């Protein structure tokens, strides 16, 4: 790597989309951001914003057949701004990979053996790992000489002790089929827990934090001294909190009940719990802004959905307070966590005995900056910390290839 190679392209490849950001790791600044969506459909859409040049967002709609064509289109957009993939300033490409199992506990330079292991994990991440693999192979074809680094959503959670990571099922069966709790949103939990420590003026190893990543997908984690000791998502991202379309925690016998009394097969139950449950299943909406509007108009279904959502949050805050023993901060992040003041207020209400409270005026402030929203007398800090998964991926990627 040359001395002036300080840029990292971050790729997040979904089944029909590619999100990307180009960052300069000298100062963490973003040079360009964009999204290709509806890949493979009749009309695909690419939006690209060249931040370095202060340019305006460019959008175009046309059929983009596959990920290879999508990444070539991304490369063309970057080249138009003088930021092409052939630039000597590009140090590496960092890929978000959802599932790394137990093998990948840190960012990893991708080679054939790594790709084979990611493929081996497809059965436990059938919706995500195949798309991640496609993005990696395409990027490798475009720049075979450039380091490609995988940063795994599960990696941060591999520090969980066995008593937190294992399910109470037959050990031989669990080991044979890799059934255990892996956790997800790891790059966000890592970033936010570290930033929360900075906000408190302490080192990460001196702080215990409960991180609440609340978006359409939602997860909680208990982080003790910078290491995850428990998290709400498990074998898949279905377990845990109430989410936009996912049920979160549920009695597993519900699956057998639906098979017996409703005649539903495995795929139908999977569809129900992952796409037709959570907030959308409870009230027909998975947008918290719309749910709050309906509550203000007296909608009882929306109010019940909100109450169920908050009840689950409180249970996890309480549980993780017990797991950690000492809690220094609770940090809200992601789309809902960063922007929905009523969620933050309701989640903490009644938990004064745990040292938690929010200041109404501080909580009402809208800001892109990390901030405390708890009153000075509160024993436990309550924080809003905007997550930055792309910067975390870029930082881990650059640190690896620099060394």
């Amino acid at each position: 790597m040359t001395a002036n190679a300080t840029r990292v392209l971050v790729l997040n490849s979904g089944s029909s989309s590619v999100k990307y950001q180009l960052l300069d790791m000298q100062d963490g600044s973003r040079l360009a951001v964009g999204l290709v969506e509806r890949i493979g459909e009749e009309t695909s859409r690419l939006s690209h914003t060249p931040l370095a040049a202060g340019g305006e967002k460019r959008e175009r709609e046309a059929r983009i057949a596959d990920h290879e064509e999508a990444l070539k289109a991304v490369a063309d957009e970057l080249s138009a701004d003088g930021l092409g993939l052939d630039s000597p300033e590009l140090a590496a490409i960092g890929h978000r990979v959802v599932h790394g199992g137990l093998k990948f506990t840190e960012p990893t330079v991708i080679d054939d053996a790594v790709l084979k292991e990611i493929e081996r994990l497809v059965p436990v991440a059938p919706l995500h790992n195949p798309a991640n693999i496609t993005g990696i192979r395409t990027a490798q074809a475009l720049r075979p000489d450039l380091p490609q680094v995988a940063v795994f959503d599960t990696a941060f959670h591999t520090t969980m002790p066995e008593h937190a990571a294992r399910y109470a099922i037959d050990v031989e069966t669990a080991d044979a089929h890799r059934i255990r709790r892996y956790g997800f949103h790891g790059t966000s939990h890592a970033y936010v827990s570290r930033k929360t420590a900075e906000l408190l003026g302490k080192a990460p190893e001196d702080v215990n934090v409960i991180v609440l990543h609340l978006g359409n997908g939602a997860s909680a984690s208990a982080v003790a001294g910078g290491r995850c000791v428990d998290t709400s998502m498990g074998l898949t991202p279905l377990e845990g909190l109430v989410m936009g379309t996912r049920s979160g925690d549920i009695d597993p016998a519900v699956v057998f009940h639906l098979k017996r009394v409703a005649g539903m097969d495995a795929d139908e139950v999977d569809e129900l719990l992952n796409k037709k449950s959570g907030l959308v299943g409870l009230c027909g909406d998975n947008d918290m802004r719309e749910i709050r509007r309906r509550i203000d108009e007296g909608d009882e279904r929306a109010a019940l959905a909100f109450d169920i959502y908050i009840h689950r949050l409180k249970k996890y805050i309480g549980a993780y307070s017990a797991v950690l023993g000492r809690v220094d901060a609770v940090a809200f992040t992601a789309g809902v966590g960063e922007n929905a003041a009523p969620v933050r207020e309701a989640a903490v209400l009644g938990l004064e005995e745990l040292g938690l409270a929010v200041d109404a005026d501080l909580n009402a402030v809208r800001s892109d900056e990390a901030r405390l929203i708890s009153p000075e007398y509160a024993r436990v800090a309550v924080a809003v910390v905007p997550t930055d998964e792309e910067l975390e991926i870029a930082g881990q990627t650059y640190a690896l290839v620099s060394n």
Side-chain angles (χ1 to χ4, degrees):
M1 189 175 81
T2 60
N4 65 338
T6 59
R7 296 175 181 173
V8 174
L9 177 64
V10 175
L11 295 178
N12 182 353
S13 300
S15 57
S16 61
S17 67
V18 175
K19 297 178 185 177
Y20 64 94
Q21 292 194 12
L22 180 65
L23 299 96
D24 191 330
M25 299 316 297
Q26 288 186 99
D27 56 7
S29 61
R30 284 168 174 76
L31 305 179
V33 301
L35 169 66
V36 186
E37 52 190 336
R38 302 198 294 267
I39 296 171
E41 298 183 19
E42 283 303 312
T43 304
S44 308
R45 182 171 174 270
L46 187 153
S47 61
H48 173 86
T49 305
L51 299 173
E56 296 183 357
K57 179 189 287 188
R58 302 194 294 267
E59 297 184 348
R60 59 186 173 96
E61 292 190 353
R63 176 171 167 75
I64 295 176
D66 52 31
H67 283 71
E68 181 178 0
E69 190 175 327
L71 281 181
K72 286 180 178 176
V74 170
D76 289 343
E77 293 293 336
L78 291 169
S79 293
D81 301 314
L83 303 169
L85 296 189
D86 58 350
S87 168
E89 295 178 76
L90 187 61
I93 298 177
H95 297 266
R96 178 197 180 214
V97 179
V98 167
H99 214 309
L102 292 180
K103 185 176 181 65
F104 299 113
T105 62
E106 55 190 18
T108 305
V109 174
I110 300 167
D111 57 20
D112 289 343
V114 170
L115 261 179
K116 286 180 181 178
E117 184 64 20
I118 296 172
E119 288 176 336
R120 198 173 71 84
L121 289 163
V122 165
V124 289
L127 299 178
H128 299 94
N129 273 31
N132 302 154
I133 292 166
T134 300
I136 290 168
R137 291 194 188 282
T138 304
Q140 285 178 325
L142 287 173
R143 278 299 304 269
D145 59 313
L146 199 66
Q148 312 268 338
V149 175
V151 178
F152 299 90
D153 270 13
T154 50
F156 183 65
H157 304 303
T158 57
T159 56
M160 280 192 294
E162 284 292 283
H163 61 256
R166 279 196 175 271
Y167 292 108
I169 65 173
D170 173 66
V171 172
E172 286 73 21
T173 301
D175 289 348
H177 301 286
R178 294 176 299 223
I179 299 171
R180 62 185 290 119
R181 304 184 62 252
Y182 293 99
F184 299 89
H185 295 146
T187 51
S188 177
H189 287 278
Y191 179 86
V192 171
S193 60
R194 190 174 65 251
K195 286 296 177 181
T196 302
E198 290 180 13
L199 190 62
L200 298 180
K202 298 181 179 180
E205 55 267 26
D206 296 328
V207 176
N208 289 356
V209 186
I210 297 172
V211 178
L212 302 173
H213 177 108
L214 308 179
N216 192 49
S219 60
S221 68
V223 183
R227 294 167 61 86
C228 177
V229 295
D230 206 349
T231 192
S232 58
M233 287 179 167
L235 174 71
T236 76
L238 180 59
E239 187 181 356
L241 302 175
V242 175
M243 302 176 227
T245 65
R246 299 179 194 137
S247 66
D249 292 339
I250 195 168
D251 181 347
V254 169
V255 176
F256 316 134
H257 180 75
L258 289 172
K259 183 178 187 301
R260 285 193 298 264
V261 305
M264 297 175 71
D265 62 25
D267 289 339
E268 289 172 318
V269 176
D270 188 284
E271 175 90 1
L272 171 70
L273 297 182
N274 276 290
K275 297 182 180 179
K276 298 179 180 178
S277 296
L279 292 172
V280 79
L282 290 167
C283 70
D285 271 310
N286 63 338
D287 187 320
M288 188 57 72
R289 293 165 297 188
E290 181 64 16
I291 290 171
R292 291 302 308 178
R293 184 193 66 77
R294 289 171 54 184
I295 292 172
D296 291 341
E297 294 177 354
D299 189 310
E300 293 184 0
R301 275 189 69 186
L304 177 60
F306 183 82
D307 288 346
I308 293 170
Y309 183 94
I310 295 299
H311 180 71
R312 189 78 56 82
L313 265 180
K314 285 187 174 183
K315 285 175 69 174
Y316 270 90
I317 293 172
Y320 286 172
S321 295
V323 166
L324 290 170
R326 187 199 81 241
V327 179
D328 299 298
V330 173
F332 289 87
T333 193
V336 174
E338 294 169 28
N339 298 298
V343 169
R344 299 191 295 261
E345 178 184 14
V348 170
L349 186 65
L351 301 182
E352 291 83 7
E353 288 298 316
L354 296 180
L356 292 163
V358 297
D359 179 287
D361 292 334
L362 294 175
N363 190 38
V365 172
R366 297 293 295 263
S367 173
D368 294 331
E369 299 298 320
R371 61 201 184 276
L372 295 178
I373 59 170
S374 48
E376 289 186 8
Y377 65 78
R379 190 171 75 249
V380 177
V382 180
V384 180
V385 181
T387 191
D388 197 333
E389 295 175 86
E390 289 77 16
L391 180 59
E392 182 72 14
I393 292 170
Q396 292 189 26
T397 296
Y398 188 69
L400 180 61
V401 299
S402 296
N403 291 332

